[in-house]
């Protein structure tokens, strides 16, 4: 069975649209997201355009600040700090990766944690670790929404995550542990990954290599979440050998149409959450 992230993201966006309308009627205010894009990376430009369109759909105001690739660390941090003090801005997203020479961690940590809708500041990462309320990274949050929507119980399940980045693997590990899963994290130094994936009830793969996860690496009726986005001459695909794995897995996410649309939906959700927190609003 296909885990349809596109359909779920449509459902979430429709709910968020209603929520934005309600808040607008109640307060006269509209949530606003500011996106900072440094340089001219074509993939980043596409991601930013998609985020802007998604904001428009649900009624969130968005503003994109495009900075030249020669922008210095001080200039970037000054833009972020201006957005921090702008009361009309509820969420700030720094599009990654930054051009060489800029310090990503230092720049991210300039963002006010209350406006950190990507959940990537050290403060929000720490809150995730300590089970405190905060804004959480969009991709793993979207994966958890998918488990919830399809009633996939994680309690006691063995989940193998092939990725240890701050964007995906590390925050996902915390979210899975909170749901009582047993988590194994794999990365480029892990020996004999197949011996681990073969024992997994659920595999989350985010390597970025076409056909990395093959049929022989998974047990029958496993659940496969493919986070990767690989671009080649035929378009976009993930890590999984989708055609063969659909016959063996109980559930699998397609690429495109799986985790990607949910990542954007979670960005919108986080922006509305930040807006609500900043305006002391409940539902
Ligand atoms: P990343 O930081 O480069 O992480 C890649 C991970 O894969 C690292 O942990 C790396 O290990 C591991 N890896 C690389 N080669 C491996 C191998 N041969 N065996 C086992 N592990 C290996 O990238 P990322 O930002 O996390 O993104 C990962 C993928 O997910 C990319 O394709 C990206 O486009 C996609 N992505 C999709 C979404 C979405 O919304 N769908 C969001 C974010 C990312 P090391 O740590 O040892 O290097």
């Amino acid at each position: 069975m296909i885990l349809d992230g596109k359909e779920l993201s449509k459902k979430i966006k429709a709910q968020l649209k209603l929520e934005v309308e309600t808040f607008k009627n109640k307060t006269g205010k509209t949530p606003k997201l500011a996106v900072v894009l440094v340089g001219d990376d074509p993939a980043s430009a596409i991601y930013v355009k998609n985020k802007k369109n998604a904001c428009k759909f649900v009624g969130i105001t968005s503003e994109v600040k495009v900075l030249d690739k020669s922008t210095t660390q001080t200039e970037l941090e000054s833009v972020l700090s201006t957005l921090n003090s702008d009361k009309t801005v509820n969420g700030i997203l720094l599009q990654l990766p930054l051009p060489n020479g800029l310090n990503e961690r230092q720049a991210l940590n300039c963002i006010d944690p209350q406006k950190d809708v990507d959940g990537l500041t050290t403060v929000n990462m720490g809150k995730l670790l300590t089970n405190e309320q905060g804004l959480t990274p969009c991709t793993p949050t979207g994966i958890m929404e998918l488990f919830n929507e399809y009633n996939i119980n994680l309690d006691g399940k063995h989940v193998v995550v092939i990725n240890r980045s701050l964007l995906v693997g590390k925050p996902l590990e915390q979210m899975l542990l909170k749901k009582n899963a047993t988590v194994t994290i794999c990365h480029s130094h892990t020996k004999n990954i197949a011996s681990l994936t073969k024992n997994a009830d659920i595999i989350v793969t985010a390597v970025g290599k076409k056909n990395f996860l093959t049929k022989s690496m998974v047990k029958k009726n496993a659940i496969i979440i493919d986070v990767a986005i690989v671009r080649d001459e035929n378009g976009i695909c993930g890590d999984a050998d989708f055609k063969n794995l659909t016959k063996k897995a109980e559930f699998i996410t397609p690429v495109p149409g799986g985790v990607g649309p949910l990542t954007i939906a979670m960005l919108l959700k986080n922006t509305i959450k930040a807006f609500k927190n900043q305006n002391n609003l409940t539902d």
Side-chain angles (χ1 to χ4, degrees):
M1 187 177 171
I2 303 293
L3 295 172
D4 193 339
K6 200 172 170 187
E7 209 43 51
L8 176 57
S9 85
K10 274 191 199 158
K11 191 169 137 184
I12 294 168
K13 284 195 282 187
Q15 286 162 356
L16 295 177
K17 194 175 177 178
L18 283 177
E19 218 178 330
V20 170
E21 263 168 37
T22 309
F23 288 133
K24 202 173 166 183
N25 292 336
K26 228 191 226 178
T27 64
K29 292 182 191 169
T30 307
K32 181 173 173 183
L33 173 70
V35 180
V36 179
L37 172 63
V38 192
D40 49 15
D41 176 48
S44 292
I46 295 172
Y47 290 137
V48 168
K49 194 172 143 221
N50 291 342
K51 287 168 188 173
K52 210 173 148 56
N53 289 341
C55 281
K56 195 171 172 198
F57 178 80
V58 299
I60 293 176
T61 307
S62 65
E63 175 193 345
V64 181
K65 287 208 177 292
V66 183
L67 307 179
D68 194 82
K69 63 172 182 287
S70 64
T71 302
T72 63
Q73 185 78 23
T74 314
E75 284 163 348
L76 172 60
E77 290 179 14
S78 153
V79 168
L80 294 170
S81 105
T82 305
L83 292 171
N84 282 342
S85 38
D86 183 341
K87 290 217 163 20
T88 69
V89 171
N90 307 105
I92 303 170
L93 182 147
L94 177 60
Q95 184 64 43
L96 302 176
L98 294 178
N100 287 340
L102 292 173
N103 184 328
E104 219 159 79
R105 176 75 356 227
Q106 198 180 309
L108 284 169
N109 279 339
C110 283
I111 299 173
D112 178 348
Q114 300 257 23
K115 296 189 177 185
D116 168 31
V117 285
D118 244 351
L120 294 177
T121 56
T122 302
V123 170
N124 279 321
M125 283 281 166
K127 284 185 172 176
L128 179 61
L129 206 69
T130 52
N131 282 339
E132 289 170 73
Q133 279 294 320
L135 292 162
T136 55
C138 300
T139 301
T141 308
I143 295 171
M144 298 307 284
E145 288 266 352
L146 209 49
F147 289 137
N148 188 44
E149 174 73 10
Y150 284 88
N151 294 317
I152 296 170
N153 181 17
L154 297 164
D155 201 311
K157 297 282 166 60
H158 180 208
V159 186
V160 169
V161 178
I162 317 172
N163 182 294
R164 59 169 161 178
S165 74
L166 274 178
L167 220 54
V168 185
K170 283 180 184 165
L172 181 64
E173 178 194 35
Q174 293 307 313
M175 294 175 192
L176 292 166
L177 287 175
K178 227 186 262 186
K179 294 286 177 191
N180 296 325
T182 301
V183 189
T184 302
I185 299 278
C186 302
H187 47 77
S188 66
H189 294 248
T190 305
K191 293 200 169 69
N192 199 356
I193 288 185
S195 69
L196 299 163
T197 52
K198 264 188 223 163
N199 282 311
D201 302 305
I202 300 172
I203 301 165
V204 180
T205 183
V207 174
K209 289 198 174 106
K210 188 174 177 173
N211 289 332
F212 177 85
L213 189 74
T214 57
K215 203 169 101 180
S216 64
M217 292 170 76
V218 308
K219 72 175 181 188
K220 194 159 172 41
N221 290 333
I223 295 172
I224 297 162
I225 309 291
D226 192 351
V227 184
I229 300 174
V230 185
R231 284 166 214 279
D232 69 5
E233 62 286 353
N234 302 316
I236 287 174
C237 67
D239 284 345
D241 173 7
F242 186 77
K243 199 166 140 221
N244 288 312
L245 281 167
T246 38
K247 295 173 198 143
K248 199 167 183 185
E250 184 187 2
F251 289 109
I252 185 165
T253 57
V255 180
V259 176
L262 286 171
T263 298
I264 295 198
M266 292 307 105
L267 169 68
L268 304 174
K269 203 169 175 177
N270 272 350
T271 305
I272 294 169
K273 190 174 172 185
F275 171 81
K276 279 169 31 180
N277 287 341
Q278 288 157 35
N279 289 284
N280 297 317
L281 292 166
T282 49
D283 293 319

